């Protein structure tokens, strides 16, 4: 269980460092996001877009539960998006919100991601 938690922490560090060249070390080539096959390249494009929209994006692990081959995590964000965020007109205002996300690993890499973002928390701050 500790090995999977350490692997996940390495993945989050990879995101926070925007180390896209090493993303494939953590994410499966055939990754699915919220039930849709987007593949590693689509996943990377999604994350790069997130960082373009939120230059100070930082994934802060608040809760981490491992039950191999699955990981559940609550990520906390405190950031200043440039424009819209999840269809909401944030436009440079600081917002705080959480994401509850579940991962399934295959061969040591993330194969499936299920994400729920607390949009209501963002709306309440606008």
């Amino acid at each position: 269980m500790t090995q999977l938690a350490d692997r996940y922490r390495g993945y989050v560090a990879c995101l926070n460092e925007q180390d896209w060249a090493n993303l494939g070390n953590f994410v499966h080539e055939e990754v699915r996001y919220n039930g849709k096959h987007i593949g590693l390249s689509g996943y990377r494009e999604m994350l790069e877009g997130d960082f373009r929209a939120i230059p100070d994006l930082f994934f802060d692990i608040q809760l981490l539960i491992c039950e191999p081959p699955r990981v559940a995590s609550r990520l906390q964000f405190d950031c200043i998006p440039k424009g819209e965020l999840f269809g909401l007109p944030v436009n440079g205002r600081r917002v705080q919100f959480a994401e509850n996300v579940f991962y399934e690993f295959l061969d040591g890499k993330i194969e499936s991601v299920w994400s729920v973002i607390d949009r209501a928390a963002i709306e309440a701050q606008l």
Side-chain angles (χ1 to χ4, degrees):
M1 187 157 62
T2 302
Q3 186 177 22
L4 189 58
D6 290 345
R7 185 101 179 110
Y8 178 72
R9 286 185 183 95
Y11 159 73
V12 170
C14 178
L15 298 183
N16 286 332
E17 294 165 11
Q18 298 181 55
D19 184 6
W20 308 128
N22 285 311
L23 188 63
N25 291 329
F26 299 97
V27 178
H28 198 279
E29 186 68 38
E30 300 300 322
V31 67
R32 300 179 67 79
Y33 182 80
N34 284 345
K36 180 181 175 189
H37 175 266
I38 61 172
L40 179 58
S41 63
Y43 196 72
R44 178 178 171 165
E45 288 173 19
M46 177 185 71
L47 290 165
E48 288 175 333
D50 292 344
F51 277 94
R52 279 192 301 277
I54 311 168
D56 64 343
L57 185 61
F58 182 81
F59 293 75
D60 184 10
I61 301 169
Q62 295 293 302
L63 178 65
L64 179 59
I65 299 170
C66 295
E67 187 177 306
R70 294 176 193 88
V71 167
S73 182
R74 181 170 175 86
L75 300 168
Q76 187 66 38
F77 300 94
D78 183 349
C79 56
I80 303 172
K82 293 195 302 191
E84 283 192 0
L85 181 65
F86 313 119
L88 299 170
V90 177
N91 300 321
R93 285 180 270 189
R94 180 179 177 205
V95 292
Q96 298 172 333
F97 62 95
E99 176 184 18
N100 295 312
V101 62
F102 302 88
Y103 304 87
E104 188 159 9
F105 284 72
L106 176 67
D107 299 327
K109 295 183 179 184
I110 297 168
E111 181 192 36
S112 294
V113 180
W114 297 274
S115 167
V116 179
I117 294 172
D118 187 357
R119 223 181 132 199
I122 300 168
E123 290 173 338
Q125 296 168 69
L126 299 181

